[in-house]
Amino acid sequence: MTDKTMPALRFRGFYDAWEQRKLGEIVEIKSGKDYKHLNKGKIPVYGTGGYMLSVDSALSYHSDAIGIGRKGTIDKPYVLYAPFWTVDTLFYSIPRQNYELDFVNYIFQQVHWKQLDESTGVPSLSKLTISNVSVKVSKFSEQQKIGSFFKQLDNIITQNGRKVDLLKQLKQAYLQKIFSQELRFAGYNDDWKERKLGELTNSFSGGTPSVGNASYYNGDIPFIRSGEINSDKTELFLTESGLKNSSAKMVSVGDILYALYGATSGEVGISKINGAINQAILAIKPRGAYSSHFIIQWLKLQKQNIIDKYLQGGQGNLSGSIVKDLILSVPNFEEQQKIGSFFKQLDSLITLHQQKLNLLKKQKQAYLQKMFI
């Protein structure tokens, strides 16, 4: 059996058992205050959602702390570096002597704060509740080692997150400049021509077999729903009978899939599987000399415009006829391919860095589980 007084993974040279403590023994919990009487300055004011503005006074001038929500967002603790001010909905917890800030921060990160919610309305915590949380801690030298390790890992995660955000912003800028023809690949000078999307493509939507007929489900045919248009797998599968006895339609790898209904309205993807679609998806197949990757990038660029025009207030659904009547400008096929290929490579780069970021976050969670009790 695992010794509950020691974590599963430790730095070399540390063998002492961890000791049980209450958070009130580890940190001094202090209340935030209203800042509206203060003048503008250089000292940051924090709330449960993070930085708000800067003022000319501080609640803590020299002691760093961990912010934890008193009301509202109670499950997102974060480090506060002095000097700072916190509003009255955010406690700040200053580590006591022999307790290292970053180590204590990661202890706070692992407490299930929502389970300690004391209200029936807006989530709330009290100093007493926080103080009574039992945790296990190591000696100060090991705390320093662990805190430093996770701080470095968080810095790497933050850097990778910024890289993903930057690539997404870069792509959005390229979309706007290329589709407005402000930016073009060398050697392409022909005018673009306006066309309705329905003139360039064939399209159709699907349907859903009766859920009351068990013989229609648990077959071998992937059944794609609107939330799965960018996925390489599905949760549901149809039988041949389910496909034949419904309006569900088959799509192939490479077909454009456009979400018509619900929260995913306006989302677009290229099918990664051969499967059937339901009525919330419009399958779009380019005719002749028109590029799928060019069309899909144009639809991504136009997503917000389409939602604003046809789904006022986020209500309602799109339809196949609306999508077919969308007007876009298109260059010759060779330039379409050039543009489509450029964005396909950029999307692959974004996906690669996003996967790296997701892996780093999973690794951090695994380390937290093994290096803390």
Side-chain angles (χ1 to χ4, degrees):
M1 291 179 63
T2 302
D3 187 345
K4 297 296 184 180
T5 65
M6 296 185 185
L9 183 64
R10 303 182 79 171
F11 287 102
R12 186 175 297 174
F14 295 100
Y15 308 103
D16 293 334
W18 287 30
E19 297 178 349
Q20 193 90 24
R21 292 286 185 273
K22 288 188 175 181
L23 282 182
E25 300 175 75
I26 295 173
V27 296
E28 182 182 2
I29 305 165
K30 297 191 174 185
S31 298
K33 296 180 180 179
D34 186 18
Y35 63 89
K36 291 173 184 164
H37 62 289
L38 302 174
N39 299 315
K40 289 184 179 179
K42 297 183 179 180
I43 294 172
V45 176
Y46 296 99
T48 57
Y51 171 78
M52 297 172 62
L53 72 164
S54 294
V55 294
D56 62 348
S57 186
L59 289 178
S60 178
Y61 279 97
H62 305 293
S63 299
D64 299 334
I66 296 120
I68 178 72
R70 179 184 71 83
K71 182 174 287 189
T73 304
I74 62 172
D75 62 334
K76 303 290 182 184
Y78 60 96
V79 173
L80 303 168
Y81 293 106
F84 63 82
W85 187 285
T86 67
V87 300
D88 61 1
T89 57
L90 185 71
F91 292 125
Y92 62 100
S93 306
I94 299 174
R96 299 182 188 276
Q97 190 174 5
N98 293 325
Y99 292 101
E100 200 271 338
L101 176 74
D102 293 309
F103 178 85
V104 176
N105 173 44
Y106 293 111
I107 285 180
F108 268 72
Q109 299 290 333
Q110 296 179 86
V111 176
H112 298 294
W113 294 109
K114 284 188 176 181
Q115 295 179 10
L116 302 175
D117 180 11
E118 300 176 345
S119 75
T120 55
V122 178
S124 301
L125 292 173
S126 67
K127 287 184 181 180
L128 182 62
T129 297
I130 298 170
S131 296
N132 283 334
V133 173
S134 291
V135 296
K136 287 185 178 178
V137 297
S138 62
K139 292 189 180 300
F140 186 68
S141 56
E142 189 173 6
Q143 292 178 35
Q144 289 178 304
K145 202 84 171 174
I146 294 171
S148 176
F149 172 77
F150 280 104
K151 187 175 182 179
Q152 290 179 47
L153 186 53
D154 271 343
N155 287 338
I156 294 171
I157 290 171
T158 299
Q159 290 169 11
N160 278 270
R162 287 173 180 163
K163 188 178 292 185
V164 170
D165 290 341
L166 182 60
L167 284 169
K168 288 178 178 178
Q169 292 169 14
L170 186 65
K171 180 191 172 182
Q172 193 63 27
Y174 275 127
L175 281 170
Q176 292 171 352
K177 291 184 180 297
I178 288 177
F179 280 97
S180 68
Q181 301 171 57
E182 180 183 345
L183 185 64
R184 297 183 75 174
F185 287 101
Y188 296 99
N189 303 300
D190 294 342
D191 291 338
W192 290 27
K193 297 177 181 179
E194 284 194 349
R195 294 284 188 272
K196 285 186 177 182
L197 186 59
E199 298 176 58
L200 319 180
T201 62
N202 296 316
S203 58
F204 57 87
S205 57
T208 301
S210 170
V211 294
N213 194 324
S215 67
Y216 291 168
Y217 292 89
N218 298 317
D220 299 319
I221 302 170
F223 187 43
I224 305 168
R225 295 171 293 174
S226 58
E228 299 167 329
I229 59 175
N230 283 297
S231 179
D232 58 1
K233 57 186 177 181
T234 64
E235 291 184 359
L236 294 179
F237 291 82
L238 303 182
T239 61
E240 287 289 345
S241 177
L243 180 64
K244 290 177 181 177
N245 290 284
S246 72
S247 52
K249 303 247 183 350
M250 291 295 295
V251 295
S252 303
V253 172
D255 289 345
I256 299 171
L257 303 181
Y258 191 84
L260 298 173
Y261 302 164
T264 57
S265 292
E267 291 285 344
V268 61
I270 287 188
S271 182
K272 297 179 175 66
I273 55 178
N274 298 316
I277 58 172
N278 68 8
Q279 66 275 14
I281 298 172
L282 185 71
I284 302 172
K285 296 174 177 277
R287 300 174 188 163
Y290 296 102
S291 162
S292 291
H293 289 288
F294 177 87
I295 292 170
I296 195 174
Q297 296 299 337
W298 181 82
L299 286 169
K300 286 181 178 181
L301 175 63
Q302 294 299 318
K303 177 185 174 183
Q304 194 57 50
N305 292 335
I306 294 168
I307 289 174
D308 290 344
K309 183 174 182 179
Y310 297 104
L311 301 177
Q312 291 87 351
Q315 301 298 313
N317 299 316
L318 297 172
S319 68
S321 60
I322 288 174
V323 178
K324 291 176 194 177
D325 283 340
L326 296 173
I327 296 174
L328 68 158
S329 293
V330 292
N332 63 45
F333 185 58
E334 187 177 346
E335 189 173 1
Q336 289 177 48
Q337 288 181 305
K338 197 87 172 176
I339 292 169
S341 176
F342 171 76
F343 283 111
K344 184 180 180 182
Q345 292 178 45
L346 189 51
D347 278 341
S348 295
L349 185 61
I350 291 171
T351 299
L352 181 66
H353 283 286
Q354 185 66 60
Q355 289 172 341
K356 182 180 178 181
L357 178 61
N358 294 342
L359 179 60
L360 283 167
K361 289 179 178 179
K362 287 182 180 178
Q363 288 176 331
K364 177 188 171 182
Q365 288 304 312
Y367 278 126
L368 283 170
Q369 290 174 4
K370 289 183 180 295
M371 295 177 71
F372 285 84
I373 302 175

